[in-house]
Amino acid sequence: MMLEIKELCVSYGAIKALKGIDVTLTEGEIVALIGGNGAGKSTTLNTISGLLRPVSGGIRFLDDEITSVPPQEIVSRGIIHVPEGRRIFSSLTVEENLEMGAYLQRDKAAKQRDLEEVFVRFPRLKERRRQAGGTLSGGEQQMLAIARAIMAHPKLLLLDEPSMGLSPVFVEQIFDIIQSINDQGTSILLVEQNAQMALSIADRGYVLETGRIVLSGASDDLLHDPLVIKAYLGG
Ligand code: ATP
């Protein structure tokens, strides 16, 4: 098991955002976490990456307890989080943003190789390598945020709403990129309101409603589940 979340409870003061969720992810999988606004999806990712501390419950990564490990140590163990809203450095160039993703890599030549590889996968970022991050379109910024995460060679990538605010063409491109990152061996926990797209590339999925998992299973089964169709697939 790569990731094992057990009976996780997280609160913001009196607000119980997660009320005892269980989620697992096996090495190589794409697992989707779907649900509406305020369901607790971002809270789940923020707790895995150490930004929030749970009230109770545990998180194990590659058989180690990481529940009280600080965020920077979680990064160095191989969990990279691409938060909602991208959070790129808007005054730094595209290339500088990518270099920030590789801050743990001390070997300059290796860093340069990684940069060239990222540019092969994201030719649009290569064209704009000297441009300030803040001048990119929303879709390009999302690409940059994902590309920056790849520079850190994640074992597990946490993606929070990568399709948010993007035009359909960009959504398709971003999901193709996510699939190709997974094909090269990175496991992915994908949070999405776009249930159709998320389940179309995920192996398995969990449906989160107001802090509880109400349904889980193989993506194909979820795509045909009446509850999912009614609540999340617009039918
Ligand atoms: P969205 O897609 O809208 O971001 P989400 O599923 O990611 O939703 P969370 O952001 O995890 O949901 O929020 C879960 C619950 O916790 C919500 O009720 C939200 O209002 C609450 N919450 C989130 N962040 C905070 C905070 N910093 N302070 C207080 N309550 C919060």
Side-chain angles (χ1 to χ4, degrees):
M1 197 68 71
M2 178 168 248
L3 182 74
E4 193 169 13
I5 299 178
K6 265 206 142 107
E7 294 169 35
L8 192 71
C9 293
V10 179
S11 294
Y12 299 97
I15 298 169
K16 293 190 166 121
L18 295 179
K19 301 165 188 165
I21 68 163
D22 294 295
V23 172
T24 60
L25 182 148
T26 308
E27 197 159 354
E29 274 190 310
I30 300 180
V31 171
L33 201 54
I34 62 175
N37 284 116
K41 306 181 299 298
S42 300
T43 300
T44 304
L45 297 192
N46 288 334
T47 311
I48 297 168
S49 60
L51 300 172
L52 289 173
R53 293 275 163 247
V55 173
S56 61
I59 304 172
R60 293 176 76 79
F61 178 63
L62 298 173
D63 294 326
D64 289 322
E65 188 70 35
I66 58 163
T67 318
S68 55
V69 171
Q72 65 275 21
E73 167 70 19
I74 288 178
V75 167
S76 65
R77 290 188 192 199
I79 300 181
I80 303 292
H81 183 183
V82 180
E84 194 174 330
R86 345 215 204 272
R87 314 261 179 86
I88 58 148
F89 301 101
S90 49
S91 60
L92 299 186
T93 66
V94 166
E95 191 164 324
E96 286 164 344
N97 266 278
L98 292 169
E99 283 167 357
M100 297 293 279
Y103 75 98
L104 289 170
Q105 175 64 268
R106 307 231 178 274
D107 179 344
K108 267 196 152 175
K111 200 183 278 195
Q112 195 55 40
R113 267 199 312 278
D114 289 346
L115 194 59
E116 292 310 323
E117 274 178 31
V118 159
F119 283 148
V120 170
R121 182 178 274 153
F122 298 91
R124 202 188 273 257
L125 295 181
K126 184 173 189 179
E127 287 165 25
R128 290 160 172 74
R129 64 199 290 174
R130 314 243 176 262
Q131 197 170 316
T135 64
L136 300 179
S137 75
E140 290 163 356
Q141 289 189 24
Q142 185 59 266
M143 282 185 184
L144 178 55
I146 294 174
R148 186 178 60 187
I150 295 309
M151 290 290 287
H153 293 284
K155 293 183 181 130
L156 173 62
L157 191 57
L158 310 177
L159 294 176
D160 199 343
E161 305 261 7
S163 78
M164 191 167 63
L166 303 187
S167 64
V169 174
F170 256 120
V171 172
E172 292 270 352
Q173 281 185 30
I174 289 288
F175 277 90
D176 284 348
I177 287 166
I178 295 168
Q179 181 72 70
S180 79
I181 291 168
N182 177 251
D183 289 343
Q184 294 191 347
T186 301
S187 308
I188 297 175
L189 183 57
L190 172 65
V191 156
E192 262 297 338
Q193 294 214 25
N194 188 335
Q196 177 79 53
M197 286 302 283
L199 292 173
S200 74
I201 65 164
D203 300 292
R204 290 186 301 116
Y206 293 83
V207 180
L208 198 56
E209 279 179 8
T210 56
R212 289 200 170 84
I213 305 285
V214 293
L215 200 61
S216 64
S219 296
D220 287 342
D221 294 337
L222 291 179
L223 280 167
H224 295 100
D225 186 280
L227 182 147
V228 176
I229 292 171
K230 184 161 181 282
Y232 302 106
L233 300 177

